[in-house]
Amino acid sequence: MATVLMCRRFPRLSRVTAFSTTAKRKAERGSSKSKKEKQDKPGAANTGTESGATIQLLKPQDYRVLYNPAAYAKGRAGSQQHLDRDSSQALGDTFTGPGTTQAPQTFPVASSQALPPVRNALSPREMPRPKPNRLLRQSMLATLYKEEAEKEKWEVHDSKEDPRMFQKGRPEYRSLSCDSSEPAQTLPAEEGDSILQSVAGCEGSSGVLTDYFHKLSCLPAERRAALLPDARFSALCHRAIVAIRLFSTPDLIHILKACVPLAVPASHPLLDACEAEFCRRAWDMSLEQLLLVADCWRCLDRSVPSYLGILFSYANLHWKDLTLPQFVQLLYIIGEGRRSPTDLAQKVESTILKHLDAFTLEELGAICLGLFKSLSGMSERVMRRIADRVSLQMEDMSTYALVNVLKMLRYTRVDHVPLMRELGKVIPARIPTTNIQGIMHIALAYSSLHFFDEKVLAAVAASLPSKVSYCRSKDAAKFLWSFGCLDYEPPNEEEFYCSLIKQLHTKLHEFSKFPEHLLTALLGLAFVKRFPEELIDFALREEFVQKTRDSKYELNKDLFTLGKSVEIECPTYQGSRLPPQLCQELTEMVLSFAEQEIYVRPEIVEATSLLESMLGGPEYVKNHMILPHTRSSDLEVRLAADGHPIPFNFKDPVAAKKLKDMGVSLTDDLISQLVKGRAHSQSPMEVGNEAGIPRQEGGDAARALCLGAALTSGARSQAEPTAGCWQPREVRLALQVSNRNHFCYGSKRLLGLHCLKRRQLRLLGYMVVEIPFWEWFPLLKRTRSEKLSYLHYKVFCPALLTRA
């Protein structure tokens, strides 16, 4: 990859920004006074992009960042203070309520790789007296190290432990979970050797073997790590396997718990024997024991579907006996096992409502995460009740638990306005200390629920460039999709978009395995009129297109939208394109869906019928998709220069044949000519013949798309009526009968896909006329004359005709 990567916007390459792939440095700005003011405000978030000199570090290719959802639970200091609270305090108190956010320093961040090497230490006499500027430099470097360590702490953590933070809130969880963080009594390494030496003479007493495993699990960490390859430890495990049925259930559980700190591999023969034995005796165990064993399997990262099936059946039979902690622990196990027992769904909802006021906020987060991971549904009623509680106590909730609630809101498509508005007040200050995946889920929640909050999105955008190296391919894609979906370009848009595009290049190797992420990212960019041609060329290559078609996700529509958008908006693009046969196949698929689901919607049918009667018949209006790749319908009307309607939607065979003979294909040369305005005095057939375009013999809907592309400027075109139906200087109207799903929640702000559609219609010469739902839907209940009057104004608006 080139040393300098250009962040480009097509067409005409506006707003070009260059940045280095090794580091990015901004000139230090502002006075020392302003720096001190920022440092004196511990609650202030550093949302600017020009405060101080910054060094953006890039991670080596082999550098691995662990998934760290717990980092977003550290939005405030003092979590230990909350952990130490008595769990019997008033209902609703949380054990990890976030405290005060610590503001990031205004010094630049760096890692040890970016700093000069430390020289050999000198004695006090040998050391030269430091100069004042050197003292300042040393102080700044010390601050850099500290900030880099803080940044790493926010981003890197154990993904197994953070979903379990709710277990710290009640003492009852100690008997239900395997707490690997609980300090064990450390034994001397010599005692471990003594135990292993005695294995050879051990007669296999179950009590002795249990004691051996427990003591070995208490050895220092470095000694435990050396046990697995030790033949004597293997002999101990073999003795336990032989005597597996002689152990009592409590002893067998103790052995399994000992395997967690011993880090026994998930595929170890001892664990095979333990799983089989626990499945055999499960129905004789208590629910508490079953949950504890299930938690051990999670800590050992072992998949045990048979055991979980027994656990869920047992819980179903003893549902009324479940205590509140047992219920939450069960949902945690359900989520970590990625299994959703359908027969428990109704019981889960009723139990949530029963204990809703008694759950801690962290337990509510754990419940939502468990249901989200297991793809379990939840009724809107129950989700709204959870959101009601959270919206009232959000400031006391950890960011991690809050993000889990947002995941479930997104999954259930519940638009809880009070929670989203409260979130807009609470979350911006936490974003700088939230890890990148938590920020991604916050942005994705807003876009999925079509909820626009500029303050939140601006805070996300300001924080992201310094964290972008931690983005997985999925994270970068979701950020681009979220901002594109909401049609939002932040104040630092060039830095924001260029850093993410650069990260897409860095993660290019991942897209062969996850093709959906690249399409998601490129569509998000297309919504805001950004087309990075190298990535588009990669996405439209034959081998990548095949990967999308083999994916478990339905990616055809996204591929279609991207490919056709590039054809219309990037006339100078010379890279790969979708094969014509695939485009035809996808067009027919989309139009087939539209005929069954879109064209028949009452608001569209009513508008079509009224327009036909107003203009003089069905030949004056056409309900179809001018741009099938945008997946929504249009009511097309054509007017002459004097404002009179022009008939064009002929359904008789003769007229259809005339239209068919005029079909032209949408090619690179034709699009280039049309966008540049070189065909003002030619008919559609003349333009097609000049470019050497064969006539298209496809269906009527496909030809409609080609004809729409052929006259790129209907109002300016001097096309002659070659086939007897074209009028000079005709104006093409594309009436948009919109609905709520086309706009951000409770606003008149169009979503990204519909902004893209209107932009492309204008590029192809159409005058876009809005029939917004907030005007049209109330009129559907009014008189016919009122509706006709409204449509007449929309079609024959004097200002519209003057513009045309």
Side-chain angles (χ1 to χ4, degrees):
M1 188 181 296
T3 305
V4 177
L5 177 67
M6 307 300 289
C7 179
R8 290 179 279 187
R9 172 192 291 253
F10 289 91
R12 300 192 185 277
L13 301 179
S14 63
R15 289 189 264 180
V16 177
T17 301
F19 54 84
S20 170
T21 59
T22 58
K24 183 175 183 179
R25 188 185 301 269
K26 287 192 175 180
E28 185 171 356
R29 302 179 184 177
S31 65
S32 58
K33 179 181 177 182
S34 64
K35 290 183 180 180
K36 187 174 188 308
E37 288 175 352
K38 291 183 180 180
Q39 292 174 350
D40 291 341
K41 296 179 182 179
N46 183 15
T47 58
T49 60
E50 300 181 3
S51 58
T54 59
I55 300 174
Q56 181 174 347
L57 301 174
L58 301 182
K59 306 298 181 212
Q61 289 295 329
D62 58 349
Y63 183 84
R64 297 187 64 191
V65 179
L66 299 178
Y67 174 57
N68 183 11
Y72 16 125
K74 299 170 185 173
R76 300 189 181 184
S79 59
Q80 186 59 45
Q81 177 181 355
H82 290 281
L83 287 173
D84 293 338
R85 291 179 183 175
D86 185 352
S87 61
S88 62
Q89 59 186 254
L91 295 176
D93 287 356
T94 177
F95 65 96
T96 57
T100 304
T101 304
Q102 183 179 0
Q105 300 290 329
T106 56
F107 293 109
V109 295
S111 73
S112 58
Q113 296 175 350
L115 299 174
V118 179
R119 296 176 181 174
N120 294 333
L122 300 176
S123 66
R125 291 183 181 179
E126 296 172 316
M127 292 181 65
R129 186 174 180 178
K131 297 179 180 180
N133 61 344
R134 184 178 176 184
L135 288 173
L136 177 61
R137 181 171 175 270
Q138 289 176 343
S139 175
M140 291 183 67
L141 291 180
T143 304
L144 292 176
Y145 281 121
K146 182 178 179 181
E147 284 210 347
E148 187 67 10
E150 282 294 313
K151 190 175 177 181
E152 292 290 336
K153 184 178 70 174
W154 292 334
E155 298 293 339
V156 181
H157 91 286
D158 185 352
S159 63
K160 292 182 184 177
E161 288 302 315
D162 255 20
R164 303 160 61 82
M165 289 300 292
F166 71 93
Q167 296 172 350
K168 310 294 183 184
R170 298 179 191 268
E172 294 92 331
Y173 288 111
R174 294 174 187 170
S175 61
L176 302 174
S177 60
C178 178
D179 190 354
S180 57
S181 64
E182 185 178 345
Q185 181 181 358
T186 304
L187 296 179
E190 298 78 18
E191 188 164 344
D193 289 328
S194 175
I195 291 172
L196 293 175
Q197 288 291 354
S198 61
V199 169
C202 177
E203 297 182 357
S205 167
S206 60
V208 172
L209 292 175
T210 302
D211 187 57
Y212 283 175
F213 276 100
H214 173 70
K215 288 182 177 180
L216 291 174
S217 70
C218 297
L219 290 172
E222 63 276 6
R223 184 68 186 95
R224 294 199 306 268
L227 286 177
L228 289 175
D230 195 314
R232 295 171 297 176
F233 181 73
S234 299
L236 176 62
C237 292
H238 178 72
R239 289 186 179 276
I241 293 171
V242 172
I244 195 75
R245 295 203 174 187
L246 300 178
F247 292 104
S248 66
T249 297
D251 283 347
L252 194 58
I253 292 175
H254 281 307
I255 290 177
L256 188 64
K257 287 183 68 175
C259 289
V260 175
L262 290 171
V264 176
S267 58
H268 198 280
L270 177 60
L271 299 186
D272 293 340
C274 286
E275 181 185 354
E277 186 60 19
F278 278 122
C279 286
R280 189 184 68 83
R281 62 176 76 181
W283 291 102
D284 297 324
M285 295 164 61
S286 67
L287 184 58
E288 183 178 275
Q289 290 175 325
L290 289 169
L291 289 170
L292 174 57
V293 170
D295 199 67
C296 290
W297 293 131
R298 172 60 190 138
C299 292
L300 290 164
D301 203 21
R302 181 180 170 96
S303 176
V304 287
S306 297
Y307 179 85
L308 292 182
I310 297 172
L311 169 62
F312 299 152
S313 297
Y314 188 104
N316 193 23
L317 291 175
H318 298 83
W319 194 262
K320 293 182 179 180
D321 300 328
L322 260 68
T323 64
L324 185 151
Q326 288 175 345
F327 171 73
V328 179
Q329 180 70 12
L330 177 64
L331 287 188
Y332 163 74
I333 295 298
I334 288 174
E336 296 305 302
R338 305 302 200 273
R339 294 193 57 189
S340 176
T342 54
D343 54 340
L344 295 182
Q346 188 61 44
K347 293 180 178 180
V348 167
E349 290 203 358
S350 61
T351 305
I352 290 174
L353 294 176
K354 175 183 175 182
H355 297 295
L356 184 60
D357 294 330
F359 292 126
T360 67
L361 294 173
E362 304 308 307
E363 286 172 333
L364 282 177
I367 289 169
C368 288
L369 182 61
L371 294 175
F372 177 80
K373 283 185 172 182
S374 60
L375 302 179
S376 302
M378 184 187 292
S379 68
E380 181 178 343
R381 170 172 167 261
V382 175
M383 194 64 238
R384 288 195 178 279
R385 289 287 303 277
I386 292 176
D388 288 341
R389 166 106 191 269
V390 170
S391 62
L392 296 175
Q393 298 177 282
M394 191 177 295
E395 290 188 356
D396 298 323
M397 194 173 195
S398 72
T399 309
Y400 179 65
L402 183 54
V403 166
N404 291 337
V405 175
L406 291 179
K407 290 178 182 178
M408 203 59 194
L409 277 175
R410 187 179 88 221
Y411 182 70
T412 55
R413 309 293 297 175
V414 173
D415 48 353
H416 195 279
V417 178
L419 184 144
M420 298 302 291
R421 287 179 177 164
E422 187 65 22
L423 186 68
K425 300 175 185 177
V426 171
I427 208 64
R430 298 193 192 183
I431 283 176
T433 52
T434 299
N435 92 339
I436 198 69
Q437 291 173 33
I439 299 175
M440 180 272 287
H441 282 294
I442 291 169
L444 190 57
Y446 275 89
S447 65
S448 296
L449 298 174
H450 297 172
F451 204 93
F452 181 79
D453 188 317
E454 186 169 9
K455 186 177 179 182
V456 173
L457 295 175
V460 169
S463 179
L464 190 134
S466 64
K467 295 171 174 278
V468 75
S469 60
Y470 294 101
C471 280
R472 303 166 298 173
S473 58
K474 176 181 179 180
D475 300 323
K478 297 298 186 184
F479 278 121
L480 291 170
W481 169 265
S482 298
F483 278 68
C485 177
L486 296 174
D487 189 39
Y488 178 66
E489 294 186 280
N492 64 332
E493 58 177 300
E494 292 304 329
E495 182 185 23
F496 173 80
Y497 281 110
C498 288
S499 66
L500 284 170
I501 291 172
K502 174 184 173 184
Q503 187 68 0
L504 293 180
H505 280 273
T506 303
K507 299 292 184 180
L508 200 61
H509 62 283
E510 295 183 11
F511 295 127
S512 294
K513 185 176 181 182
F514 305 106
E516 64 274 10
H517 297 333
L518 182 57
L519 287 183
T520 296
L522 292 177
L523 275 182
L525 287 166
F527 291 162
V528 291
K529 204 176 179 181
R530 292 177 184 265
F531 298 90
E533 66 176 1
E534 298 89 351
L535 294 173
I536 291 171
D537 176 63
F538 181 86
L540 298 182
R541 290 176 189 170
E542 183 179 353
E543 56 270 28
F544 187 85
V545 169
Q546 188 57 47
K547 288 183 183 297
T548 66
R549 307 205 77 187
D550 294 339
S551 171
K552 64 179 179 179
Y553 299 102
E554 171 52 57
L555 303 178
N556 286 328
K557 292 179 181 178
D558 292 345
L559 195 65
F560 189 36
T561 302
L562 176 65
K564 285 298 180 182
S565 295
V566 171
E567 286 185 13
I568 295 172
E569 299 203 53
C570 305
T572 60
Y573 171 75
Q574 299 296 321
S576 304
R577 296 183 183 275
L578 292 180
Q581 183 179 356
L582 177 59
C583 289
Q584 181 66 26
E585 176 187 331
L586 296 177
T587 298
E588 292 174 358
M589 177 187 71
V590 172
L591 294 179
S592 175
F593 171 80
E595 289 173 357
Q596 301 174 32
E597 301 291 338
I598 298 179
Y599 300 157
V600 296
R601 290 175 180 170
E603 66 273 17
I604 295 177
V605 172
E606 179 78 353
T608 305
S609 175
L610 290 169
L611 285 170
E612 288 175 353
S613 62
M614 180 180 76
L615 298 175
E619 63 270 20
Y620 290 91
V621 59
K622 187 171 185 179
N623 176 12
H624 68 135
M625 285 185 175
I626 298 173
L627 303 176
H629 64 276
T630 60
R631 313 172 205 172
S632 56
S633 69
D634 313 89
L635 297 181
E636 183 176 354
V637 173
R638 298 180 187 176
L639 303 177
D642 59 2
H644 286 84
I646 299 173
F648 68 98
N649 185 26
F650 299 103
K651 297 183 179 180
D652 61 276
V654 175
K657 179 66 167 59
K658 290 180 181 179
L659 285 175
K660 180 177 180 180
D661 288 341
M662 291 180 60
V664 295
S665 298
L666 192 62
T667 67
D668 298 345
D669 293 337
L670 179 57
I671 284 293
S672 178
Q673 291 178 19
L674 295 176
V675 172
K676 292 177 182 177
R678 292 172 55 191
H680 295 329
S681 62
Q682 295 171 298
S683 70
M685 274 302 299
E686 290 168 342
V687 172
N689 291 336
E690 180 181 274
I693 302 169
R695 295 174 180 175
Q696 182 167 331
E697 300 296 331
D700 180 65
R703 283 193 301 278
L705 175 60
C706 295
L707 288 171
L711 286 177
T712 186
S713 183
R716 295 173 295 165
S717 175
Q718 301 296 324
E720 295 298 326
T722 306
C725 62
W726 297 104
Q727 300 295 326
R729 298 181 58 81
E730 73 175 13
V731 179
R732 291 189 171 194
L733 305 182
L735 283 74
Q736 308 297 301
V737 183
S738 64
N739 60 57
R740 287 177 177 82
N741 290 332
H742 295 178
F743 297 86
C744 292
Y745 184 90
S747 77
K748 299 178 181 180
R749 184 188 187 92
L750 274 172
L751 295 172
L753 176 62
H754 302 284
C755 289
L756 173 143
K757 175 186 177 179
R758 284 149 178 75
R759 186 171 72 234
Q760 292 179 4
L761 284 171
R762 293 186 185 101
L763 282 173
L764 296 178
Y766 285 90
M767 299 292 292
V768 177
V769 179
E770 291 287 348
I771 303 181
F773 72 90
W774 59 84
E775 294 176 354
W776 183 239
F777 280 36
L779 275 173
L780 293 177
K781 301 177 182 178
R782 308 296 290 271
T783 64
R784 177 180 173 85
S785 60
E786 288 176 297
K787 289 181 277 192
L788 284 170
S789 176
Y790 174 83
L791 292 175
H792 187 277
Y793 172 78
K794 285 290 184 179
V795 173
F796 298 106
C797 174
L800 179 68
L801 291 174
T802 302
R803 256 195 339 268

